[in-house]
Each structure stands twice: as structure tokens, then as C-alpha cells.
Amino acid sequence: MTKQQASADATTILDLFTIGLGPSSSHTVGPMRAARMFMDSLPQCPKRVQCDLYGSLALTGHGHATDSAILLGLSGYRPQTVDPEAIAPILASIREDGKLHKDGQRAAGPTFYEEGDLLFHKDEFLPEHANGMRFTAWFEGTADTVGRAYYSIGGGSVLSEEEGTNDAALGHNLVPPHPFSSAEELLAMGEETGLCIATIILKNEEIWRPQEKTEAFLDKVCDAMTASIERGLKQEGFLPGGLKVRRRAKSIHTRLRSQKDTFGPAHTFEWVSLFALAVNEENAAGGRVVTAPTNGAAGVIPAVLHYYRRFVPGADRDGEHTLLLTAAAIGFLYKKRASISAAEMGCQGEVGVACSMAAAGLAAALGGTNQQIENAAEIGMEHNLGLTCDPIGGLVQIPCIERNTMGAVKAINAAYLALQGDGRHIVSLDAVIETMRQTGVDMSNHYKETSLGGLAVNVVEC
């Protein structure tokens, strides 16, 4: 078990589904949080700050907007609350003044010049994780500095240097009523209690907050996913970053709406693909999305959720809650038994995990047994094993956007395939998670969010 792993017992859905900014949870959201954490940890406002980025953060940081995220985080902004429309002028003012913001005030913070204070170490990896960064602060009247390393471990989660070397720091002292650390234990818990997976998670969440607050959070997540789809369907033009990728969701939406009399499996899957496309175009543009479980895979679960809402007779809010809670249970297992970081696992750890989560969630919302749900999750991952992360230009665009459409359709297929059986199958979810982990360990770093291999080097950028 790596230092990024622990038992799944006390993980909360708030850690798995977070509302933040695109284009990347590990390269944008995580570094922004780490930068703010560092500033909040200081005894006083420093006169100067420096940030060193390592490994995957350095190799694809510009394409993933890590540089912008660091400036925003050091200036005290949060990914879940900063206005996406305000980011460009905020960054422009920081770069013009050579000073970070403080408490929202322009030129009130420490000195920061990107050329000398934001350094990309592309040939160096910190030992704890491929997504490592180190901050250093200088203060008036003393030569002493304060420095601290942080690791963005996937899905926007961040560990400090101290936590990264202490396994106990990854868990919590809270013990849920229905603890589990494997799919086998989760199924056994269901057999023992007679509860479905969604209810097990709902009851476990009560160690953190009352049930009504958990349900309110799930409603907020559903609404945020809907909002990201709706925004994505309205936008057009080119995505930022230089690849000149044209946004397609609006034109496809217009065409599908004109085909009101057309119905069939292909038409349904066109809608599902559109939902995922809209979210991931919005993510690539730096818009507001739900990390589910990462930004690079942010379109899969919303697309499957909207498939359920639009195409399943009798779909309701309770079913949406069941879908998300069940998906979360599967996400907990991947996060704790392997990783959801593409810098460690490749894209099998992002789109693959999202596909597995969505398949399980849909199977649950459609009335599947716990065994059928586990089977759906296993199918969803089994056919994503070995999926590499090789973004062209270090941008979360090609193949990332279309890969989410594939993941969403595959999740629906996996759910229905599992529901055709009685839950008995040869490859267990635990086995496929361990296989994913081993595959990620064996996978060359060239295919793990570094843009050093695959499509990233075999396609000429225009």
C-alpha cells in the first residue's frame, strides 16, 4: 500500500465530489488549494514567495493552467468560489504589478515575478508523488525562510509534506457504522445488514453530518453537473491553448433538437455523448465543473446521470441520490486501494474510474442488487485497463474530451450488461482494481500525464 492509500472507512463524499474549476483537478484545483494552504500556514504576510513545480506538474503545467492556479491560490482565491469570468483580469493585474493579491486587494500581497518565482523542474520528480510542488517564503527583517512541499494526489486532494510521510495522516479518527476497505467487505456488509450500497454510504456519512445535509449536498452536486452541461451547450468558438479545437456541443445540440421524431439506441447515445462533450469542453475552457472523481473525467458521471434523468421512466431525485452515493462507494475503493491520479495510473485512473463509478451508480438507480452493481463497476474498469494519459500539448482537450464521451457510453453498456446477469462473475472488482494499480505501476511515465509519449508526440500540433 502506497503512502497515498489508506482504508476506505472514513472517506466522505465531500472529498470525492467537489465543485471547482477546469481544466484539471490534479494540475489546477490541487495546486490552487496547496498554494492557499501554504499562505494560510505562514505566521505573517511574506515579502516574497517562490513556487517550484516538479514532475508531471512541471511537464504539463502550462497546458493544465497550473501557473494560473498557483497565482490564484497564493492570492487567497479558492477554486470553488472564484468567479471564472474574473480570473483573467486577476491574473493580468498580478502580472502587471509583480505582486500577489491579499484579501482580494490588488498589489497588497508579496512580490511575485513568474520568471524567477515560478520554476518548472521538468526533469525532476519529488519522491512522494509525481505531482509535487514546493513553496518558499521570505520575510521582512530576517534572512530565515519558510518552505514546505505539497502533493496533488488526484481529484483535487492535496497532502502536505508532513502528511505525505505519515500514513496515519491520510485517515481520520472517525469510525463509520459500516466500515469497509474492499468490495468484498462492502458486499459482505450488505449481506449482513440487508442494506443496499447507497444506504450504507448514506449512513456512513452521518459521522460527518446529518442525513438531510448529505442529501442537500447531493442536490447541489446534481445541480452543478446540470449547470456545467447547460453552459457547455451554449458556448461556441475555439478552446484556449493554441490547438484551435473548436467547441462542438452547441452545434450538435442544435442538430439533435431538430430531430424530434428520431428515436433509437444510436440517437440516445448521441445525447449521452453530447452531455459529456458539453461538460468537458467547459472544463477545457476553465469553467466550473464537478470533480467526479477528477476534472479530466468530469463529463462521465454527469452524462450518465442525465441519461438516467432523461431516458429512464420513473427517474426521480431519490434515484439520482442513489446513483451518486453508489458511485461514491466505488470511487472510495479506487482512491484508497489504487489511485485516481493520471500522473500515477494514466487515464485508466481517471476516465476508467469514472466509467466504473458511473456504471455502478446507474445499475443501482435501475434497481440492481449489490452483486450486480459490483459487477457493473468491474466491467466498467476491465475494459479501460491500460488506458494512457497522453494529452496533446499538455492540454485537457485531445483525446480527453472525446474520451469522456466514450467512458459515458461504456458505463451505460456495462450497467445494462451486469443487470442481465445475477451478479455472479469471474473477475471481482477488487481484482480489477488491483490490476489497474499494477498496470499503473508498470506503465511508463511517458504515458502518465507528462505528454512525453503516445498521441502527445505522434500528432503534430498545428
Side-chain angles (χ1 to χ4, degrees), residues 417-430:
L417 187 59
L419 291 173
Q420 295 300 316
D422 61 5
R424 288 179 292 184
H425 55 109
I426 294 175
V427 180
S428 70
L429 177 57
D430 287 332

Side-chain angles (χ1 to χ4, degrees), residues 157 173 181 362 402:
S157 296
N173 293 325
S181 57
L362 179 60
E402 290 180 355

Side-chain angles (χ1 to χ4, degrees), residues 107-153:
T111 298
F112 194 91
Y113 293 97
E114 283 185 78
E115 184 176 351
D117 292 328
L118 183 57
L119 306 178
F120 292 75
H121 303 276
K122 296 182 178 182
D123 296 325
E124 185 176 354
F125 286 72
L126 295 185
E128 292 293 331
H129 196 279
N131 291 333
M133 67 203 97
R134 180 174 294 277
F135 298 94
T136 307
W138 289 261
F139 301 88
E140 291 287 355
T142 177
D144 294 337
T145 62
V146 173
R148 187 169 289 114
Y150 294 85
Y151 308 98
S152 181
I153 63 171

